[in-house]
Amino acid sequence: MLEDIAVAQQVRLDILDQSSLLSERLQTEDEPSLVLLAPGLDKTLSLARVVRKRFPQCELIFLCLPGGVDTLRQSFGIAPLIGTHWSIAEMERDQLAREVARSLNAGRRRSKLRTTLDRANATIAKPRTEFEGISQRRLNADYYVHNIIDAARDAIVGLDTTLEVLYWSAGACELFRLSARDTVGRQAEQLPFWSEALITAVRQVLSGSGTQSHECSCVVGEVELALEVNVSAVSGGDGLAVGASLTIRDITALAAERRANAERGRQLSEERQHLHRLFEQAPGFIAITQGPQHVVEIANRSFHQLVGLRDVIGLPAAVVFPQIEGQDVGSLLQRVYITRRPYVGRGTPILVTRAGEEQPRRGYVDFVFQPVLSEQDQLTGVFCQGHDVTQQVLAQLALQRSQEDLQALVDERTRELEQSRHALYQSQKLEAIGKLTGGVAHDFNNVLQVVSGNLQLLRPLLSGNRLGTGRLDAATGAVDRGAKLAAELLAFARKQPLRPVPTHLARLLRNMDALLRQALGEAIEIETVVAGGLWTTMVDPHQLENVVLNLAINARDAMQASGKLTLELSNAMLDELFTQTQIDVEAGQYVLLAVSDTGSGMSAQILEHAFEPFYTTKPEGEGTGLGLSMAYGFAKQSGGHIRIYSEPGSGTTVKLYLPRTEQPEVLAVPLPVGPAVGGDETILVVEDDLAVQGTVVELLNGLGYQVLRANDAQSALSILQSGLRIDVLFTDVVMPGALSTTELARQAKLLLPAIAVLFTSGYTRNAIVHGGKLDTGVELLSKPYRQEELARKLRQLLASRQTPALPPEAVRPAVLVVEDQLQLLALTCEMVQELGLTAEGFPSAEAALPALREKHFEYLLVDVNLPGMSGPEFARLALQEQPKLQVVLLSGEGAVETSIPARSLGKPYTFEQLEAILKG
């Protein structure tokens, strides 16, 4: 590209590297017309100064990549010190060619001007001859003036008083690319740079106002130029203005430099303001002193706040700086100033006297005094920076003061933690034992159920055999003792099913008085103390009676059949301080039942094991060791707490805390006792233990019931879906398989709304018991049970489900609901019943077919997308069975197009929409 431009300009092109350009062998007489400095050179501006010093007359062009002009110009600064005739050009062919041509022409004009001036000076200096006339000298002067003007770099234009162009210099031809022939004789307003402002300036000059200077812009060859126009008057011999002279200079580069300088000035100003804001907003205090007198030169807002918002600028630091306890701040600054070593203070105490305060205020600061050096390594002052750490130091001092009492607190807390750890260990140990005993009780109850059932089945066969009947009674008694033992194990494991009701314990103890006196004997005095305003508690009264009886029997044995038993009832409040040292107990209001005896008491070692099952201090054969274990499990399962207080020789007190309830007392209704009777209803027995299942089936057959059996919940569900009439679902709680017994019971209610459900188990887990309490509406018969207990429970359930027959006019329309989503099925059935209709729900069309064929329905609500037979297919079959049936198709896709007479109800639907379609 450079070679092409050199050829076009008819100049020789020499390419030198940086070292050759600086070589001494390059003579000054070889001065080039133009030097191009390529981008990427090291220290470009320094190299240009060397070139300018060696070649003062040449033109300089700094080359840069496209878009890099402003960046390069900013790097030169305000005064690059490389003369006037230099420029910057991008490495782009057309622009570089124009800039090279301009620079070469400018160089030629300067050379021509120098030659003309040299000749003029030589002519003037040459001795005059006597024959030389005045006209010749005048002609020579005009000639030299003309050449001087044409050789000038600036454009010069002459105008007469009518603003007609009289003269157009060579510089004007080059600048505007217009020849003298195109411009001389024309009006000035036709010139490319002319403007109204120039007309005003020329008129002012012609009127004698002196030289005028004006800047304007002009577009020449698609390039916008910045021009400086100096207008001066041309006077005749009489001193009157005969025209005007316009000296026009291209200041494009200068204008760009001015703009760049202005932008750099603006940026510097913004940076200065930004730094000032940062200085003022610095979180720590900052001050700078100047000179050996340490006069404050500058300080930020935080420093003013530290010393009390005083005017500190220009004052000595010894006057305005806070005083350091034990040190002189002036001496400290002087030491930093002399040694040039910084000083760092941490947590240094200071005294600050603020305006309007008589006594100094004490504070603490972290600070550093740093010497400030100039570029010439001259010391100019001290930089002071730091933070007010008064609050942190005061907090540390307070912490140090508190450490004096910390050890005592730590020791006390350690003791509390040790107590809590021990209580947790005991609780975890009892929990582990409880899980074991619960599992054992479950299997034990199943075994007892088989034994008990077979003993009851065997009794009619031995009715005339006294010896066999006696042995049968002994075996039955053993089963009863085993059942009681299993119940106590379940109580300790917190797995016994509780039926808590609001109970007033004073009434419960009064009702137990005769039982307790019979159990303890006449030699033991019983005293009952009831505090006034006793609260009601939520507890299972029957299980609590067993706990009280067991505690009383333990007290009798400890008193060796002679002493005093005290039963105390009162209100109690367990606070946070107490509950923090206990496990599984919450702060709150409780009813306290305290059972105290005057027996032998227990040692600390015995107390640690008192609640463990089968632990006893009685001789072998005199106790099971389950009394306190059952009380412990009952208290925890009831949401309460139990503690034992005892010392050898001082008796024992067992305190049972039961949670208070705001509900009114509910009096227990005694269950009717009568002969066991059976019936002819159909009962579905669900039991995975085949031995237990066989025994139960025989017991039910002996009572006259029709019995169906299933080994798991899934099999039972299939029987329920078969359409057979079933009156009672009798199922074990703990069953194998994916389908739980609670879900089986729920689906049974959906399939057969009138069915009664009875659960049985020797270990309820959490299926029907939550929070230690039976779920609402759940009926449970605990294993092992007698035939009489089973018979009474069944008749109770069957009697409670019967309702009086309605008169024909009160019979409610029946709705058949078929929906595979069980939750939606249950919800739809409830909504239908809320509308005063009866509903029977099925999860599939196949399950609903038996009901469709056995019962009359007014409405059919059927989901379109069912597993197996689809909803429309089932609706078509239903219309064949019951032609007057009103069909409603349920769909999540909006209206359903079908050929059968049916209406559509889109999911999700509201109660009002369902009511409108069923009763509309």
Side-chain angles (χ1 to χ4, degrees):
M1 179 174 64
L2 292 176
E3 293 175 352
D4 295 340
I5 295 175
V7 171
Q9 296 296 326
Q10 298 180 358
V11 295
R12 188 184 72 193
L13 175 64
D14 292 330
I15 300 178
L16 302 177
D17 57 17
Q18 189 168 345
S19 60
S20 299
L21 186 61
L22 298 175
S23 175
E24 295 295 336
R25 293 176 294 176
L26 190 62
Q27 302 299 319
T28 56
E29 56 266 19
D30 297 330
E31 180 172 356
S33 300
L34 177 62
V35 175
L36 303 178
L37 297 177
L41 293 175
D42 293 336
K43 299 181 179 179
T44 305
L45 193 58
S46 299
L47 181 62
R49 291 169 181 162
V50 173
V51 172
R52 174 62 70 208
K53 184 176 181 181
R54 182 171 295 182
F55 307 124
Q57 301 301 327
C58 71
E59 285 278 342
L60 287 177
I61 298 181
F62 295 91
L63 302 181
C64 67
L65 298 176
V69 174
D70 291 339
T71 302
L72 184 58
R73 191 181 301 278
Q74 289 179 5
S75 67
F76 288 173
I78 299 176
L81 302 178
I82 53 176
T84 58
H85 33 285
W86 62 274
S87 60
I88 300 175
E90 296 180 356
M91 293 287 289
E92 192 273 324
R93 177 181 293 274
D94 294 339
Q95 181 181 354
L96 182 57
R98 288 195 299 271
E99 189 61 30
V100 168
R102 187 198 64 77
S103 298
L104 289 174
N105 288 335
R108 293 189 189 103
R109 285 199 304 274
R110 287 197 305 277
S111 177
K112 182 177 179 181
L113 178 60
R114 288 195 301 272
T115 303
T116 302
L117 289 174
D118 291 342
R119 289 178 182 176
N121 291 332
T123 301
I124 295 171
K126 186 172 59 174
R128 302 179 183 175
T129 64
E130 56 183 351
F131 302 103
E132 187 176 16
I134 296 175
S135 60
Q136 182 63 39
R137 289 174 59 84
R138 187 174 297 169
L139 179 61
N140 290 339
D142 290 342
Y143 172 77
Y144 290 134
V145 169
H146 175 72
N147 280 278
I148 290 172
I149 293 174
D150 279 346
R153 182 176 183 179
D154 298 335
I156 299 176
V157 180
L159 305 175
D160 63 9
T161 56
T162 64
L163 302 186
E164 180 181 328
V165 179
L166 299 179
Y167 183 78
W168 188 261
S169 73
C173 294
E174 180 182 351
L175 179 60
F176 297 108
R177 301 181 186 178
L178 294 174
S179 64
R181 185 171 41 247
D182 297 331
T183 56
V184 174
R186 295 189 177 184
Q187 286 296 312
E189 62 185 12
Q190 298 178 3
L191 298 177
F193 61 86
W194 200 253
S195 66
E196 290 295 330
L198 277 178
I199 294 176
T200 303
V202 171
R203 288 176 177 171
Q204 290 176 353
V205 168
L206 292 178
S207 62
S209 63
T211 302
Q212 297 284 332
S213 182
H214 175 71
E215 291 186 6
C216 63
S217 61
C218 174
V219 177
V220 177
E222 299 182 358
V223 177
E224 185 174 358
L225 302 177
L227 305 177
E228 180 184 63
V229 183
N230 291 311
V231 184
S232 59
V234 179
S235 302
D238 55 1
L240 298 177
V242 297
S245 172
L246 307 182
T247 303
I248 306 168
R249 179 174 297 170
D250 183 2
I251 60 170
T252 303
L254 180 60
E257 187 172 352
R258 288 176 183 170
R259 291 194 297 272
N261 290 338
E263 178 64 20
R264 285 196 295 276
R266 184 187 63 80
Q267 292 177 355
L268 288 174
S269 176
E270 290 180 353
E271 291 177 1
R272 189 179 297 108
Q273 293 176 3
H274 180 63
L275 290 175
H276 184 266
R277 286 194 297 271
L278 292 178
F279 178 78
E280 283 294 320
Q281 296 174 14
F285 59 83
I286 301 174
I288 300 175
T289 66
Q290 186 179 27
Q293 303 301 321
H294 309 299
V295 176
V296 178
E297 181 181 12
I298 186 172
N300 70 344
R301 184 187 309 163
S302 296
F303 184 84
H304 285 85
Q305 293 174 350
L306 177 67
V307 300
L309 301 175
R310 291 180 292 168
D311 187 8
V312 299
I313 306 302
L315 298 177
V319 176
V320 298
F321 273 38
Q323 296 303 309
I324 301 176
E325 286 190 3
Q327 283 184 303
D328 180 62
V329 67
S331 300
L332 186 58
L333 287 169
Q334 189 65 19
R335 186 174 73 184
V336 172
Y337 191 83
I338 294 174
T339 62
R340 296 193 176 191
R341 293 180 180 178
Y343 177 85
V344 178
R346 298 189 182 280
T348 304
I350 61 172
L351 296 175
V352 180
T353 304
R354 300 178 181 272
E357 296 181 356
E358 296 181 358
Q359 296 297 327
R361 180 181 301 180
R362 187 174 188 179
Y364 298 89
V365 295
D366 290 344
F367 70 96
V368 59
F369 286 170
Q370 177 76 35
V372 179
L373 302 177
S374 66
E375 294 182 359
Q376 292 76 27
D377 201 29
Q378 297 295 319
L379 189 62
T380 61
V382 178
F383 176 83
C384 310
Q385 188 268 337
H387 296 273
D388 186 351
V389 294
T390 301
Q391 297 300 324
Q392 294 91 318
V393 171
L394 292 178
Q396 292 175 357
L397 293 175
L399 179 61
Q400 292 174 0
R401 288 192 297 268
S402 66
Q403 288 178 347
E404 298 174 0
D405 302 326
L406 182 59
Q407 190 59 45
L409 295 176
V410 169
D411 293 341
E412 181 181 355
R413 183 58 178 163
T414 301
R415 288 192 297 271
E416 294 176 356
L417 290 175
E418 183 63 26
Q419 294 174 0
S420 299
R421 186 198 64 78
H422 183 71
L424 178 61
Y425 168 75
Q426 288 294 110
S427 176
Q428 290 174 339
K429 181 173 69 173
L430 295 177
E431 183 71 20
I433 297 175
K435 290 181 180 179
L436 175 63
T437 55
V440 171
H442 171 256
D443 295 336
F444 192 37
N445 277 330
N446 277 340
V447 173
L448 290 176
Q449 181 60 52
V450 174
V451 174
S452 174
N454 282 281
L455 290 176
Q456 293 176 70
L457 293 172
L458 188 60
R459 186 174 294 277
L461 302 178
L462 299 176
S463 59
N465 189 336
R466 292 183 58 189
L467 180 59
T469 303
R471 292 180 177 178
L472 190 63
D473 291 339
T476 302
V479 169
D480 291 340
R481 289 194 299 274
K484 181 180 180 183
L485 178 63
E488 291 176 340
L489 288 174
L490 287 175
F492 168 73
R494 289 177 271 175
K495 298 301 180 184
Q496 62 179 344
L498 299 181
R499 296 181 181 272
V501 295
T503 304
H504 199 280
L505 297 190
R507 189 187 309 276
L508 183 142
L509 291 185
R510 284 197 299 271
N511 294 337
M512 289 187 66
D513 186 72
L515 177 62
L516 290 175
R517 296 187 182 279
Q518 180 181 358
L520 299 184
E522 297 180 356
I524 295 178
E525 179 186 355
I526 301 177
E527 181 182 4
T528 302
V529 180
V530 180
L534 188 68
W535 295 328
T536 304
T537 180
M538 181 67 73
V539 71
D540 186 325
H542 302 293
Q543 297 294 341
L544 181 58
E545 288 176 355
N546 290 334
V547 170
V548 173
L549 183 59
N550 279 323
L551 293 177
I553 292 175
N554 284 345
R556 179 199 64 188
D557 296 340
M559 291 184 291
Q560 299 179 354
S562 176
K564 181 178 180 181
L565 177 71
T566 303
L567 303 174
E568 297 179 79
L569 290 173
S570 62
N571 299 329
M573 176 73 73
L574 299 183
D575 57 17
E576 296 285 349
L577 184 62
F578 175 81
T579 57
Q580 287 176 357
T581 61
Q582 305 299 316
I583 303 297
D584 293 338
V585 60
E586 297 181 357
Q589 296 176 334
Y590 292 83
V591 175
L592 172 60
L593 168 60
V595 181
S596 304
D597 62 59
T598 58
S600 59
M602 292 182 283
S603 66
Q605 291 76 12
I606 296 176
L607 283 175
E608 287 187 4
H609 304 280
F611 289 130
E612 295 178 10
F614 305 113
Y615 180 82
T616 178
T617 58
K618 301 175 184 178
E620 186 175 354
E622 294 188 12
T624 62
L626 289 173
L628 286 176
S629 302
M630 186 185 76
Y632 174 86
F634 172 78
K636 295 300 181 182
Q637 192 173 0
S638 300
H641 183 61
I642 187 171
R643 295 199 70 179
I644 302 178
Y645 301 88
S646 180
E647 292 182 5
S650 300
T652 301
T653 298
V654 179
K655 291 188 175 182
L656 184 64
Y657 297 87
L658 299 173
R660 177 191 181 184
T661 180
E662 300 290 345
Q663 301 179 26
E665 180 186 13
V666 175
L667 297 178
V669 179
L671 295 176
V673 178
V677 295
D680 59 355
E681 289 88 354
T682 301
I683 299 176
L684 173 59
V685 176
V686 188
E687 173 62 65
D688 61 316
D689 190 322
L690 298 182
V692 175
Q693 182 190 97
T695 302
V696 173
V697 169
E698 290 190 35
L699 290 175
L700 291 173
N701 286 333
L703 293 171
Y705 292 104
Q706 303 295 320
V707 183
L708 302 175
R709 69 177 73 190
N711 298 339
D712 54 51
Q714 191 62 50
S715 302
L717 181 61
S718 300
I719 296 175
L720 290 168
Q721 293 174 343
S722 67
L724 297 174
R725 174 173 178 155
I726 300 173
D727 298 287
V728 179
L729 171 64
F730 186 33
T731 176
D732 192 5
V733 174
V734 183
M735 296 291 293
L739 184 64
S740 66
T741 53
T742 53
E743 179 63 20
L744 172 65
R746 193 183 68 82
Q747 294 197 32
K749 285 289 186 179
L750 292 175
L751 296 171
L752 302 171
I755 193 171
V757 179
L758 177 60
F759 290 98
T760 182
S761 180
Y763 178 50
T764 58
R765 289 186 182 174
N766 293 324
I768 59 175
V769 176
H770 293 87
K773 306 166 187 176
L774 278 173
D775 294 342
T776 304
V778 172
E779 297 292 339
L780 175 68
L781 183 61
S782 296
K783 297 178 183 178
Y785 47 82
R786 294 177 176 273
Q787 188 178 33
E788 294 82 1
E789 296 172 339
L790 175 61
R792 292 192 185 97
K793 193 67 176 179
L794 288 174
R795 295 322 307 169
Q796 176 190 349
L797 288 177
L798 290 171
S800 63
R801 72 163 190 153
Q802 294 176 357
T803 55
L806 296 174
E809 63 275 8
V811 175
R812 297 184 295 176
V815 180
L816 178 60
V817 182
V818 186
E819 170 62 63
D820 61 324
Q821 297 185 27
L822 298 181
Q823 293 182 348
L824 184 57
L825 175 63
L827 178 62
T828 304
C829 290
E830 290 181 11
M831 294 170 67
V832 169
Q833 292 172 355
E834 287 292 329
L835 292 172
L837 310 175
T838 61
E840 288 194 29
F842 298 91
S844 66
E846 291 77 6
L849 279 175
L852 181 68
R853 291 166 180 163
E854 295 177 2
K855 184 176 180 180
H856 174 74
F857 294 95
E858 276 73 24
Y859 298 96
L860 169 62
L861 299 178
V862 58
D863 187 20
V864 173
N865 299 314
L866 292 173
M869 184 185 301
S870 68
E873 292 175 351
F874 178 73
R876 189 175 288 106
L877 183 61
L879 288 172
Q880 293 176 1
E881 292 285 338
Q882 301 184 25
K884 295 184 178 181
L885 185 66
Q886 299 185 45
V887 178
V888 179
L889 298 177
L890 309 176
S891 174
E893 301 176 356
V896 180
E897 296 183 1
T898 177
S899 58
I900 62 176
R903 291 175 290 174
S904 297
L905 181 59
K907 299 178 181 178
Y909 46 83
T910 64
F911 183 84
E912 291 75 14
Q913 292 172 329
L914 182 63
E915 181 181 21
I917 204 165
L918 291 179
K919 294 188 175 182

